[in-house]
Amino acid sequence: MQVWQMLYGRTMLDWVSVNVSARQFNDPSLLLATLSEINNSGFPLDRLKLEITESAVMRNPEVTRTVLGELRDLGIRIALDDFGTGYSALGALRHYSVDTIKIDRDFTTRLDTRRSELVLVLLKIARIYGAASSRKGLKPRTT
């Protein structure tokens, strides 16, 4: 990114998203060591968004709160991925600071009236918690 900025006078990307497996997320020392290497390479951590699945986040609430807090303190953005496939503990969202909630494809494919209403509710919940939302599997409308 630094080379791109030197060559073209602007940044290449706003951020880079990286999927984090449940195994990686549940071993905070491995995750933090990896992030340290990324930071040492010169990549700005405030341009990194980690995508963590809902099921990984809900496995160990105490560790999750601590790790998410440490990641946020480093300037890293957090996306809750595949929301709606795991525990879907809506009330638990208030305990986790996330930037984006990615609603799972199961909710967005083959939308009927009931599923459409559910997606709208999930979008409102994301907004209430101050998170952006993204819906997997939706294609832009064509006329």
Side-chain angles (χ1 to χ4, degrees):
M1 284 180 59
Q2 292 171 338
V3 172
W4 181 279
Q5 190 166 8
M6 286 172 36
L7 291 174
Y8 301 105
R10 60 184 174 85
T11 57
M12 179 174 64
L13 303 168
D14 290 332
W15 72 82
V16 172
S17 290
V18 176
N19 285 312
V20 176
S21 73
R23 183 172 158 239
Q24 291 168 318
F25 184 72
N26 288 305
D27 184 354
S29 61
L30 176 61
L31 181 60
L32 293 174
T34 302
L35 293 173
S36 177
E37 288 299 317
I38 292 170
N39 189 45
N40 291 340
S41 76
F43 184 85
L45 292 179
D46 63 347
R47 292 185 178 232
L48 182 63
K49 181 187 281 187
L50 297 181
E51 297 189 9
I52 305 163
T53 63
E54 174 190 12
S55 56
V57 166
M58 299 299 181
R59 267 193 195 155
N60 189 337
E62 292 301 317
V63 170
T64 295
R65 277 193 285 278
T66 301
V67 171
L68 290 180
E70 290 177 10
L71 294 173
R72 301 279 303 195
D73 288 346
L74 293 171
I76 297 169
R77 297 176 184 149
I78 307 295
L80 184 60
D81 201 7
D82 296 337
F83 187 76
T85 60
Y87 301 99
S88 295
L90 299 176
L93 284 176
R94 71 177 181 268
H95 298 294
Y96 305 114
S97 181
V98 297
D99 298 289
T100 306
I101 296 174
K102 295 178 71 177
I103 299 169
D104 189 69
R105 186 179 315 271
D106 280 349
F107 288 112
T108 60
T109 55
R110 298 180 316 261
L111 285 175
D112 55 19
T113 303
R114 184 171 156 223
R115 285 188 184 195
S116 293
E117 290 172 359
L118 181 56
V119 170
L120 290 173
V121 167
L122 291 174
L123 294 173
K124 286 182 183 180
I125 289 169
R127 218 170 333 171
I128 288 168
Y129 288 110
S133 58
S134 128
R135 297 152 289 188
K136 291 180 170 182
L138 287 183
K139 294 185 174 101
R141 279 190 226 187
T142 56
T143 53

